[in-house]
Amino acid sequence: MEYIGLYPMWYEPGVGSGWIVGLIATIHVLFSHTAVGAALFFAYLATVSYRRNQPELLDFIKKYGLFLLIFSYVLGSITGPGIWYSTTVASPRGISALIHSFVWKWATEWVFFVIEVVGVYMIIYLVGKVDRATHLRISIIFGLASYGTMLIIIGILSFMMWPGQPEWFTDGGYLNGFYGSNTFAQLAMRTAFMFTMTAVVGGVVAGAIKDAAFKQEITRKLALLGMVSTVAGGLMFQWYMNTLPDTAQVIFENRLPDWFGMSLIATLAGIFAWFAATWLQPRLLTPSIAMGMTVAVLVFGLWPEEVARESLRKPYVAGQYVYSNQVIARDVPGLDIKSEIPLLEKKGFLQTKVFVPDRLRSVNPHNALQAGRSLALTTCSNCHSLSSTGMRPLANYFGGNTDVAMVKTYLQGALGTGNTIYMPHIPLNDDEAYALARFIVSLNPSPQPVVRTAAAPEKE
Amino acid sequence: MDAAMLYALRDPAGVPSHPIIFLVLGVLTWALHIAAVQVMLGASALTLYGAFSRDAHWRRLAAAMLTTAKVAVSVAIVLGVAPLLFVQVIYDPFWYTSNVLSARWVIGFIVILIMAYLAMYAFYYRNHDLVRQPTRSAWQMVLSLVLILVVGWIMHVLSYQMLLPEQWMSWYAPNGEIDPGGQTLHGYSVTRFAFFILLSVAVVAAWLFAYRRYLMGRKQEDAGYIAWLLPLAHKLMLAGGVVAVASGALWLATLPEKMAWFASSGWVWASAIALLVAAFFPRLLGDKLDQGLWGYAPFGIGAAALIVVASAREALRFITLLGSHGYDALDYKLNLDWYSTALFFITFAMLGGVVLGYLLTVAWKAGQTKGVYTPSPALTRLGNLSIALLVIWILQYFAIGFYVWAR
């Protein structure tokens, strides 16, 4: 018996598993980018403090560091593995593909991560307890190690979108998968925006500084950092977009809402204006307003960006060979990976998927609805909610159609051929297409399915 | 769930180094992780006990253990990343299935851990000075400890469900009806969980010996407090040893049939001996505990004992899955990648060793010093070397990256 290694499905009917992953990932990006940017900013401040004999800068490092200890290192260090956990349950083969190609890269990142966690405690709690040259040295180590984590994860994120070099498919090799133009463009963009986030979040601490002159100095430093990094990030975003593969460009133009580009520009302009205002009038900066700005960046900047990044790599979830529905969709000779599509075309999902109850392995008039549900869970539910809420509800794509034969024809024509942009190739034999169509029709609020096929003549 | 199905679930990309490397690293890093978890649990319990006490020494210990617990959570999380990574590499069919079958709890794990951590910090901010101030909002620390035990339970279940592939289908599709909600924690062993939790008594005792030695290194430290710590550490170590052996025996007595072989295996004997040696080691040292760096030795021996226990835990998993289910974790398809393998080990040994060696030495020495600590020239050179290694690492990242990009 030949199997394809599809795992059991987790289906979350409220918002959908994809959005849960997205939510955790977006929050983590805010925490982690802020932390890395702050680590480098601290190294800069520690250097200035040392050279100009300004010990009050170390006090700011301590205060901001303590805030980040909770904000970034407590919450960030949990949401980081949290992304693993959430993708494990939402997209096990997607995360597995990344893990198995980049396990050593992640292990290397872990070394930097350990240094980072030790470092953050030291730069906070050793202010005034070690000489300033030593504190500066620790700050630099902390900053470099933090940036090391960013360098590593960027390559993996880029691979998710598109393996760095086309040779990766034929020759394999970590270097071919990790490095490409998208890697460096994404690194440049994220490096810029991480400073933006550092400057926004830093306002929460700077806003509470009592000494007016010192508050002005710190606020202006943060504002300058924010303005420069926002402009640089916008420019790097253009570079990043130019490194995306053609399919992603087509999806960007056709699948993302029209307002997406404009909203991104508006968000960047708003952030820039905020920094400009606080540079001109530092007293505008208060902790509550800065916290509001942080939430705004999260909602209007990071969330759309993460959603767009998820959309642009469709129908794949990892390395342009693992579909969102977890099926391996193409050969990767470099790693001796075979596409599962031919086997699915030959034997179907129900016969080959490991986690299928025996009574659903072949479709019959008595189990068609449940077999269809099993198929919908497997082939659709990663991206489409099977209920009326959540992510892209499946029923919405069929306009209330209750004609099973018509839906079946559509499924086999549009998805079974693999010619629909943005959608995976889903081979469905007659029985499975019928079962899936029955289930989709049943999602209508008052389904009165029109069943016309001779193969399964049962009516409800 | 036959072997063919389990093998089908494996990732077709294979692994970039021999699987034994991931297995060994998984054991070692899990031992480090569980040590931090047990220090955190033990320190949290001592914090609570001390916070409810009026005894000045207990209150001082509570303050110190609160700081310990706070940092130990961070350390436990960061150290936990490594075994979490390695288990996915060679046991992916088991780990992923177990997680998906209890998916809501997996997501809950993240939320509950955040709540536990925040509750601990909230208690810390309410009780900056437990020595002089009465305890405030003790419920926050109770809540934190309870929530930490809940996340520990979730992690226990996820690990334990891996060992029960024969039940997966009945969990996923009870009576043939697929239930994709992932809302149930299906498989667990209360006695196994209790063993690993109760082990924290002995581990925190070993930690107390090290803490005492650390205080002895500081000038003008309260001798009465240091003297008070010694019998407490001894008592806890003895009690912890007894509890560990007793709860371990209970776990072994309740092993399911397919794992019954484990109870009489050499792995169990080795673990029992290692734990007993660790438990009695401080008494064997006697006065030597106060000489040189011997005061740190109980924790070192305890860590070694945990590695033995971690090896036994891994043996139970490996042999059960091989013997009862035909899954050999060591015959994973190999797609050797020398570069990333070498880069990790060089980074781990050279960069990690030097940088962490520098940071931890500075932290330790600064803690031993009253006033401002200035490192020796040799230690400062190590700090400069740390920076140089980090810069070199970053340069090689870009140099190789640009080469690959441009060729």
Side-chain angles (χ1 to χ4, degrees):
Chain A
M1 184 100 179
E2 280 184 281
Y3 293 105
I4 58 171
L6 293 172
Y7 285 93
M9 292 301 301
W10 173 46
Y11 173 60
E12 204 294 308
V15 295
S17 57
W19 276 18
I20 290 175
V21 175
L23 190 66
I24 294 172
T26 303
I27 292 170
H28 177 70
V29 167
L30 175 68
F31 295 152
S32 59
H33 282 29
T34 302
V36 176
L40 291 169
F41 187 55
F42 289 171
Y44 161 73
L45 288 181
T47 308
V48 174
S49 165
Y50 182 68
R51 291 193 176 156
R52 296 187 197 161
N53 192 23
Q54 277 187 281
E56 66 273 20
L57 290 176
L58 294 184
D59 287 337
F60 177 72
I61 290 178
K62 185 170 183 175
K63 282 187 183 137
Y64 193 3
L66 271 169
F67 176 73
L68 285 183
L69 198 61
I70 305 278
F71 185 80
S72 280
Y73 288 92
V74 173
L75 304 179
S77 67
I78 296 173
T79 50
I83 297 176
W84 268 357
Y85 280 116
S86 57
T87 48
T88 287
V89 293
S91 178
R93 290 184 109 192
I95 191 68
S96 176
L98 301 179
I99 294 277
H100 284 83
S101 278
F102 297 109
V103 53
W104 288 130
K105 215 64 203 174
W106 254 313
T108 307
E109 188 195 15
W110 176 71
V111 177
F112 287 107
F113 190 26
V114 174
I115 295 170
E116 195 184 15
V117 168
V118 173
V120 72
Y121 280 103
M122 290 182 67
I123 64 156
I124 293 168
Y125 290 111
L126 293 187
V127 169
K129 293 184 178 168
V130 293
D131 65 292
R132 291 203 347 239
T134 302
H135 192 270
L136 173 61
R137 209 167 277 117
I138 295 168
S139 301
I140 293 170
I141 289 172
F142 174 57
L144 293 173
S146 283
Y147 198 56
T149 63
M150 166 80 95
L151 292 176
I152 291 172
I153 201 63
I154 288 294
I156 300 172
L157 292 177
S158 296
F159 176 87
M160 276 171 74
M161 177 73 76
W162 196 268
Q165 306 295 320
E167 292 81 12
W168 180 81
F169 289 103
T170 50
D171 303 337
Y174 142 80
L175 287 172
N176 284 333
F178 193 85
Y179 287 116
S181 53
N182 183 260
T183 316
F184 292 106
Q186 189 169 177
L187 176 63
M189 179 182 73
R190 286 185 186 264
T191 299
F193 285 140
M194 81 186 182
F195 285 120
T196 309
M197 289 175 221
T198 301
V200 170
V201 177
V204 178
V205 180
I209 295 173
K210 298 280 185 286
D211 182 308
F214 184 52
K215 180 177 177 179
Q216 176 170 312
E217 182 186 353
I218 290 292
T219 302
R220 286 194 164 162
K221 275 188 164 60
L222 288 171
L224 197 60
L225 178 71
M227 284 188 286
V228 172
S229 61
T230 303
V231 172
L235 295 173
M236 293 304 112
F237 180 74
Q238 293 301 316
W239 179 22
Y240 171 74
M241 290 304 295
N242 288 332
T243 63
L244 292 178
D246 292 342
T247 53
Q249 301 284 5
V250 174
I251 290 168
F252 186 83
E253 285 158 18
N254 293 286
R255 302 296 302 197
L256 292 182
D258 294 338
W259 48 262
F260 180 79
M262 194 49 73
S263 76
L264 213 59
I265 293 168
T267 301
L268 290 178
I271 294 170
F272 185 89
W274 161 247
F275 286 128
T278 57
W279 193 86
L280 290 168
Q281 287 293 338
R283 62 192 168 81
L284 284 175
L285 186 67
T286 66
S288 49
I289 295 178
M291 193 54 90
M293 279 304 294
T294 303
V295 174
V297 167
L298 188 71
V299 175
F300 300 112
L302 289 177
W303 174 255
E305 185 272 330
E306 289 297 312
V307 170
R309 199 167 58 85
E310 186 258 350
S311 299
L312 291 180
R313 63 176 191 262
K314 288 280 182 283
Y316 298 98
V317 73
Q320 298 286 305
Y321 77 98
V322 183
Y323 273 155
S324 302
N325 64 16
Q326 311 288 288
V327 170
I328 290 172
R330 64 185 286 186
D331 291 343
V332 182
L335 294 179
D336 192 26
I337 293 172
K338 298 275 188 293
S339 167
E340 291 169 340
I341 298 294
L343 181 62
L344 288 170
E345 285 174 331
K346 194 171 151 195
K347 297 194 170 176
F349 282 92
L350 296 172
Q351 285 290 323
T352 54
K353 184 180 171 178
V354 171
F355 288 91
V356 173
D358 287 340
R359 68 184 196 84
L360 299 183
R361 289 225 179 258
S362 31
V363 179
N364 61 54
H366 305 293
N367 71 7
L369 202 58
Q370 287 186 312
R373 178 171 173 262
S374 170
L375 286 163
L377 283 167
T378 302
T379 58
C380 315
S381 71
N382 279 85
C383 304
H384 296 284
S385 167
L386 305 186
S387 66
S388 58
T389 60
M391 191 168 54
R392 310 179 192 103
L394 184 59
N396 294 358
Y397 290 80
F398 295 88
N401 195 331
T402 57
D403 189 331
V404 173
M406 198 179 285
V407 173
K408 173 176 175 274
T409 302
Y410 169 80
L411 290 174
Q412 288 186 299
L415 304 181
T417 55
N419 289 328
T420 304
I421 188 169
Y422 198 66
M423 291 294 288
H425 176 190
I426 304 175
L428 292 164
N429 59 38
D430 277 345
D431 286 349
E432 292 189 348
Y434 168 73
L436 183 54
R438 279 287 309 277
F439 176 73
I440 289 170
V441 165
S442 79
L443 295 175
N444 290 313
S446 307
Q448 295 294 322
V450 180
V451 181
R452 295 186 291 186
T453 55
E458 161 243 15
K459 281 194 177 193
E460 284 181 300
Chain B
M1 191 65 51
D2 60 35
M5 290 171 158
L6 295 173
Y7 275 85
L9 292 169
R10 271 187 175 176
D11 195 290
V15 293
S17 305
H18 193 282
I20 189 77
I21 297 173
F22 299 108
L23 188 137
V24 171
L25 286 176
V27 169
L28 292 176
T29 53
W30 186 84
L32 289 173
H33 165 67
I34 204 72
V37 168
Q38 286 162 343
V39 167
M40 171 187 67
L41 285 171
S44 297
L46 289 175
T47 302
L48 266 181
Y49 188 88
F52 285 116
S53 169
R54 292 186 177 176
D55 180 88
H57 287 154
W58 265 110
R59 293 198 70 82
R60 182 169 172 191
L61 182 64
M65 288 301 106
L66 178 56
T67 303
T68 300
K70 202 161 52 80
V71 177
V73 182
S74 279
V75 175
I77 292 168
V78 71
L79 291 179
V81 169
L84 179 62
L85 173 64
F86 297 130
V87 76
Q88 297 176 69
V89 177
I90 54 173
Y91 290 115
D92 45 338
F94 305 89
W95 178 250
Y96 291 139
T97 303
S98 175
N99 274 253
V100 173
L101 291 175
S102 301
R104 282 197 180 199
W105 289 95
V106 174
I107 302 299
F109 171 88
I110 303 159
V111 178
I112 297 168
L113 183 54
I114 287 174
M115 287 163 57
Y117 209 169
L118 291 180
M120 189 182 286
Y121 263 96
F123 179 74
Y124 173 72
Y125 280 109
R126 294 280 290 160
N127 295 277
H128 266 308
D129 191 356
L130 273 173
V131 179
R132 292 180 194 83
Q133 304 285 329
T135 307
R136 294 187 294 179
S137 307
W139 64 271
Q140 291 168 337
M141 194 65 202
V142 174
L143 177 68
S144 176
L145 187 55
V146 169
L147 292 177
I148 284 170
L149 287 171
V150 172
V151 295
W153 177 253
I154 295 171
M155 206 38 57
H156 156 74
V157 170
L158 295 177
S159 301
Y160 194 67
Q161 289 178 169
M162 293 173 69
L163 305 179
L164 306 169
E166 70 276 14
Q167 298 187 49
W168 289 349
M169 270 314 290
S170 65
W171 294 338
Y172 182 54
N175 304 314
E177 299 280 337
I178 293 174
D179 174 9
Q183 64 268 52
T184 309
L185 292 172
H186 303 278
Y188 49 83
S189 160
V190 175
T191 52
R192 174 177 159 135
F193 177 67
F195 168 70
F196 284 109
I197 295 299
L198 291 173
L199 208 49
S200 60
V201 180
V203 172
V204 83
W207 181 257
L208 282 185
F209 283 110
Y211 168 60
R212 178 177 169 274
R213 169 60 188 82
Y214 173 76
L215 292 180
M216 286 169 67
R218 299 172 76 170
K219 292 186 176 66
Q220 300 162 343
E221 200 52 75
D222 179 359
Y225 177 60
I226 291 173
W228 175 81
L229 282 170
L230 186 63
L232 176 67
H234 274 303
K235 262 190 275 184
L236 280 175
M237 182 57 98
L238 196 63
V242 171
V243 165
V245 171
S247 61
L250 196 61
W251 171 30
L252 296 176
T254 55
L255 282 170
E257 194 182 339
K258 72 174 183 179
M259 300 177 209
W261 62 269
F262 183 64
S264 55
S265 69
W267 297 101
V268 165
W269 286 108
S271 300
I273 291 168
L275 289 174
L276 287 172
V277 167
F280 284 100
F281 183 70
R283 288 186 185 275
L284 292 174
L285 277 180
D287 292 342
K288 236 181 175 178
L289 264 175
D290 294 348
Q291 296 168 17
L293 296 175
W294 281 102
Y296 293 111
F299 193 73
I301 297 292
L306 280 181
I307 292 174
V308 178
V309 172
S311 305
R313 173 184 173 273
E314 182 57 55
L316 173 61
R317 175 162 62 189
F318 181 86
I319 296 171
T320 299
L321 296 181
L322 179 63
S324 299
H325 301 284
Y327 181 88
D328 183 352
L330 297 183
D331 67 2
Y332 219 111
K333 184 175 95 179
L334 195 57
N335 264 320
L336 204 58
D337 190 275
W338 279 110
Y339 175 76
S340 65
T341 306
L343 185 65
F344 164 71
F345 280 103
I346 291 169
T347 306
F348 178 72
M350 285 182 64
L351 191 144
V354 169
V355 177
L356 286 170
Y358 171 72
L359 292 178
L360 295 175
T361 307
V362 169
W364 178 61
K365 294 249 187 189
Q368 300 263 293
T369 307
K370 294 271 183 189
V372 176
Y373 167 67
T374 304
S376 66
L379 192 53
T380 298
R381 278 198 294 277
L382 197 64
N384 292 336
L385 178 63
S386 300
I387 293 172
L389 286 174
L390 282 162
V391 170
I392 290 168
W393 195 96
I394 290 172
L395 288 176
Q396 71 79 34
Y397 173 96
F398 282 106
I400 291 177
F402 285 138
Y403 167 73
V404 173
W405 184 22
R407 75 184 171 188

